[in-house]
Amino acid sequence: MFDIGASELLIIAVVAILVIGPKDMPLALRTAGRWIGQIRKVSAHFRAGLDAMVREAELEEMEKKWQERNAQIMRDHPGEMTELPPAPPADSAHDPHADDPVPGATPTITASAEARLSAENAPAPAEKPDSAAEPRLPLDQDEPRRDREA
């Protein structure tokens, strides 16, 4: 787009140093970098919007072609299409020999024999100890810490 060579960049740098001064050059370069970043963000956003519009137009075109082709196939072969069988009523009984589960039923999960035996032989859970007997962290205590008083 811009055909700027090394010699043109060198001339621009020398003129910038003379006009801006070496002291303010870092600030000017940062400002220029921010502007360039903003321009890149805006151009990327604009490009993404254009790409989305092109994709939508292509999808609409493909949909139109598909519908035309489908209509042509239906005209060429009118009697070859068969109707789908009717769907079974919703309240029909479930085939117990089918591989799929009963609709709406939750699966039953059973524990292994070892897990059941260990649960039967496990001791009863102890009652929760008093809250006063539980160990507490120094930050949980009501009295202030000594090192913070100073």
Side-chain angles (χ1 to χ4, degrees), residues 112-132:
S112 66
E114 294 172 357
R116 286 186 297 224
L117 285 175
S118 64
E120 290 173 2
N121 296 334
E127 292 183 17
K128 188 174 180 180
D130 232 20
S131 63

Side-chain angles (χ1 to χ4, degrees), residues 4-18:
I4 299 176
S7 60
E8 288 92 1
L9 284 176
L10 182 62
I11 292 173
I12 291 172
V14 169
V15 170
I17 290 174
L18 292 176

Side-chain angles (χ1 to χ4, degrees), residues 69-148:
R69 179 70 176 145
N70 192 24
Q72 179 187 4
I73 291 172
M74 294 300 285
R75 281 191 309 269
D76 293 345
H77 308 284
E80 294 179 22
M81 299 299 293
T82 59
E83 294 291 324
L84 292 174
D91 59 345
S92 67
H94 179 71
D95 182 14
H97 301 291
D99 289 338
D100 55 339
V102 177
T106 56
T108 313
I109 300 174
T110 57
S112 66
E114 294 172 357
R116 286 186 297 224
L117 285 175
S118 64
E120 290 173 2
N121 296 334
E127 292 183 17
K128 188 174 180 180
D130 232 20
S131 63
E134 290 183 15
R136 293 175 22 172
L137 295 174
L139 297 177
D140 293 340
Q141 295 175 356
D142 296 332
E143 57 199 42
R145 290 180 57 183
R146 291 188 183 132
D147 59 318
R148 291 191 181 179

Side-chain angles (χ1 to χ4, degrees), residues 3 6 15-16 21 24 27 29 33 47 51 61-62 73 82 86 89 108-109 112 115 122 132:
D3 191 23
V15 170
D24 295 328
L27 178 63
L29 290 176
R47 187 178 307 128
D51 289 345
E61 182 180 325
M62 292 301 292
I73 291 172
T82 59
T108 313
I109 300 174
S112 66

Side-chain angles (χ1 to χ4, degrees), residues 16-102:
I17 290 174
L18 292 176
V19 172
I20 297 173
K23 190 186 283 185
D24 295 328
M25 185 58 88
L27 178 63
L29 290 176
R30 271 193 298 270
T31 304
R34 288 185 185 131
W35 286 355
I36 291 171
Q38 290 294 328
I39 290 170
R40 285 183 178 175
K41 285 180 187 177
V42 169
S43 67
H45 183 68
F46 182 72
R47 187 178 307 128
L50 286 178
D51 289 345
M53 289 188 329
V54 167
R55 274 194 307 270
E56 287 177 11
E58 288 175 353
L59 286 175
E60 289 174 2
E61 182 180 325
M62 292 301 292
E63 180 73 20
K64 186 177 178 183
K65 286 181 181 179
W66 179 81
Q67 287 177 350
E68 290 172 0
R69 179 70 176 145
N70 192 24
Q72 179 187 4
I73 291 172
M74 294 300 285
R75 281 191 309 269
D76 293 345
H77 308 284
E80 294 179 22
M81 299 299 293
T82 59
E83 294 291 324
L84 292 174
D91 59 345
S92 67
H94 179 71
D95 182 14
H97 301 291
D99 289 338
D100 55 339
V102 177

